[in-house]
Amino acid sequence: MKGACKMTIPAVIAHGGAGPGPDRQENLEVAVRKAAEILSAGGSALDAAVQACVILEDDPVFNAGTGSVMRTDGSVLTDASIQTGDGKVGFVIAMEDTPNPILVAADLLDEEINGLTSQGARIWADEKGHVKRKVQGVSPKGQIGDSQTEIFGDTVGVIARDKEGAIVVATSTGGCSHRPPGRVGDVPLPGSGFWAQEGLAVAATGIGEAITRALLSYKVYEKTKSMKFSLEDSMKWGLESLIAPEHSVGMIALGPKGPGFGISNTDMPWSTWEDGTSI
Ligand code: GLY
């Protein structure tokens, strides 16, 4: 019918990282509530995902932004990525003095370049007026010189869907513990730590090397799009078939309808909301 427009029910899902750490469920829900507030007021998935991600980056219980884990040399370097279901992407890698790398990644969405790394990323962020502030970071217990301690690569991630049906995935991390300063994890690599396309998005968290080798987010997306698997079954397949059980890994995903779904082979706080429900 001419003029008819089909509205989508807004929804959001977020996670606070796969792996050991403090109880962070309530902290995570603060971010989900913020996204829900934006979406139920008619705001965009982009705004909801970015603002929720900033809340998680600003909360020191999460390994992202302010709470980022130190690298083996004591440096603190942050990564972030963002992708929209209609084909835009932005990512930043190993940024110094950047407590909110997601804001820099989001600023790249409408640029000709997709990604920036290290010093060049910071120079570009300075030109755009992004906050530059030393991030103290968190030292994992016994990190320096102690290879016996537990490795974790938790991250934060948010996927939002708005009433127009737009979907956006945003992820951010300080990286994996016990890793050198030049190391690149899954978070800024399209298809590895995140993928969003045509109403479906996936975000991963955990040991970045395992996630990257599996191209986990894209593989789960592809499996679901094949129509032979439900979103939940694709995520279970991804975790069980593509990831060795000794690697702590989790995922969240959100499709064109319904709430999101989270799965992990370790602790992973996650929370989802769909308009009309409570968090
Ligand atoms: N998943 C975060 C990292 O490995 O860097």
Side-chain angles (χ1 to χ4, degrees):
M1 191 172 52
K2 205 175 167 198
C5 86
K6 228 169 98 191
M7 287 303 212
T8 303
I9 300 176
V12 60
I13 182 165
H15 73 76
D23 181 7
R24 46 214 195 277
Q25 183 68 31
E26 281 182 20
N27 305 58
L28 179 73
E29 286 170 8
V30 173
V32 173
R33 261 185 225 107
K34 180 68 187 178
E37 201 182 292
I38 293 167
L39 292 166
S40 56
S44 70
L46 179 60
D47 196 26
V50 170
Q51 289 206 41
C53 196
V54 165
I55 288 175
L56 299 171
E57 287 178 335
D58 288 346
D59 186 334
V61 304
F62 299 108
N63 175 20
T66 299
S68 292
V69 76
M70 289 174 183
R71 308 280 168 128
T72 48
D73 64 348
S75 63
V76 180
L77 302 169
T78 55
D79 303 333
S81 59
I82 188 157
Q83 189 176 23
T84 66
D86 62 357
K88 293 180 185 177
V89 67
F91 53 88
V92 291
I93 308 176
M95 289 196 76
E96 239 178 0
D97 303 332
T98 308
N100 295 116
I102 193 62
L103 295 175
V104 186
D107 233 3
L108 280 164
L109 285 174
D110 292 316
E111 296 287 329
E112 202 176 346
I113 47 171
N114 297 325
L116 286 164
T117 183
S118 41
Q119 244 192 321
R122 192 53 254 181
I123 291 167
W124 191 86
D126 288 341
E127 282 164 8
K128 296 280 177 181
H130 288 285
V131 169
K132 181 175 188 174
R133 193 177 68 233
K134 185 164 176 54
V135 179
Q136 291 302 329
V138 174
S139 170
K141 269 188 238 110
Q143 180 185 20
I144 310 287
D146 182 357
S147 60
Q148 300 308 308
T149 51
E150 197 164 11
I151 292 174
F152 60 95
D154 51 344
T155 303
V156 299
V158 183
I159 306 172
R161 181 181 74 217
D162 64 30
K163 67 178 171 40
E164 311 294 339
I167 200 157
V168 174
V169 57
T171 70
S172 184
T173 189
C176 200
S177 61
H178 308 280
R179 294 289 191 263
R183 175 260 186 190
V184 179
D186 60 298
V187 163
L189 300 180
S192 297
F194 66 97
W195 192 255
Q197 196 179 336
E198 293 170 8
L200 174 63
V202 182
T205 171
I207 305 301
E209 285 72 15
I211 295 167
T212 300
R213 281 193 294 268
L215 196 65
L216 187 62
S217 296
Y218 184 75
K219 287 288 174 71
V220 168
Y221 164 85
E222 195 183 38
K223 195 85 176 169
T224 311
K225 282 282 172 176
S226 76
M227 307 300 273
K228 291 190 194 95
F229 277 65
S230 68
L231 186 53
E232 286 90 335
D233 285 347
S234 300
M235 291 165 82
K236 279 185 200 139
W237 164 84
L239 197 59
E240 287 162 16
S241 312
L242 303 180
I243 301 293
E246 65 269 24
H247 297 132
S248 299
V249 168
M251 271 173 277
I252 55 169
L254 186 67
K257 55 184 183 200
F261 186 68
I263 186 172
S264 155
N265 61 12
T266 182
D267 293 342
M268 184 186 76
W270 65 277
S271 174
T272 188
W273 166 89
E274 190 183 24
D275 206 0
T277 67
S278 57
I279 295 158

